[in-house]
C-alpha cells in the first residue's frame, strides 16, 4: 500500500487537476457510441407508418431523423424542437446503440440547439 500511496495517488491527482480525460476502450462498444457530429436544419413532423404515427425530424436534406436528447440539452429546448411544425438548426451526432419502435429514419442525439424558428 505504501508504494501505491507514494506514486500512484500523486500521479492521479496531477492528472485530475490538469484536466486530463481518460478514453475507456471497451472494444467495439463505448460508453456513448456516437458518430461524428454535423449541423443541419430541419422541421419536426408526424408521419404515418404501418405501426401508427411517428414523430420525426425531417432534415433539409430530405432524410428523416429520430431525435434523442443529450445531457447538455435543456428540457424546454428539446420539447420545443420536437414539437410538430417547429423548424430548428441543430448539431446532431448519429447513434448506433439506441432503438425506436418506428424505425423510419436515422437515430441521432441532439448535441446543440443553434436556432429555433417557431
Amino acid at each position: 500500500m505504501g508504494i501505491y500511496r507514494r506514486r500512484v495517488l500523486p500521479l492521479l491527482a496531477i492528472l485530475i487537476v490538469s484536466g486530463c480525460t481518460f478514453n475507456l476502450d471497451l472494444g467495439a462498444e463505448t460508453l456513448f457510441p456516437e458518430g461524428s457530429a454535423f449541423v443541419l436544419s430541419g422541421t419536426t413532423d408526424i408521419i404515418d407508418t404501418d405501426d401508427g404515427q411517428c414523430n420525426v425530424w425531417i432534415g433539409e436534406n430530405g432524410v428523416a431523423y429520430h431525435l434523442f436528447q443529450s445531457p447538455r440539452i435543456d428540457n424546454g429546448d428539446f420539447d420545443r424542437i420536437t414539437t410538430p411544425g417547429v423548424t430548428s438548426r441543430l448539431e446532431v451526432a448519429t447513434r448506433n446503440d439506441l432503438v425506436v419502435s418506428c424505425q423510419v429514419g436515422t437515430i441521432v442525439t441532439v448535441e446543440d440547439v443553434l436556432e429555433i424558428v417557431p
Side-chain angles (χ1 to χ4, degrees):
M1 181 76 169
I3 194 155
Y4 181 78
R5 284 187 178 171
R6 285 184 294 179
R7 293 189 180 166
V8 176
L9 290 179
L11 178 60
L12 184 59
I14 290 169
L15 290 173
I16 292 171
V17 170
S18 68
C20 291
T21 59
F22 298 93
N23 182 10
L24 298 177
D25 184 6
L26 303 175
E29 298 180 24
T30 61
L31 294 177
F32 300 102
E34 304 180 353
S36 297
F38 58 96
V39 174
L40 189 64
S41 293
T43 303
T44 301
D45 198 2
I46 296 176
I47 60 173
D48 291 318
T49 68
D50 293 339
D51 297 325
Q53 293 189 328
C54 187
N55 194 5
V56 294
W57 189 74
I58 307 294
E60 62 188 2
N61 59 1
V63 175
Y65 296 91
H66 297 286
L67 302 181
F68 280 81
Q69 182 177 1
S70 76
R72 293 178 281 212
I73 302 302
D74 176 73
N75 290 339
D77 285 345
F78 191 76
D79 289 346
R80 287 179 58 203
I81 65 173
T82 55
T83 300
V86 173
T87 299
S88 54
R89 187 167 167 260
L90 308 174
E91 178 183 353
V92 296
T94 57
R95 293 289 296 259
N96 60 11
D97 63 326
L98 302 173
V99 285
V100 292
S101 59
C102 61
Q103 301 173 358
V104 295
T106 303
I107 298 172
V108 296
T109 53
V110 178
E111 301 297 317
D112 196 6
V113 178
L114 305 172
E115 181 180 10
I116 301 174
V117 181

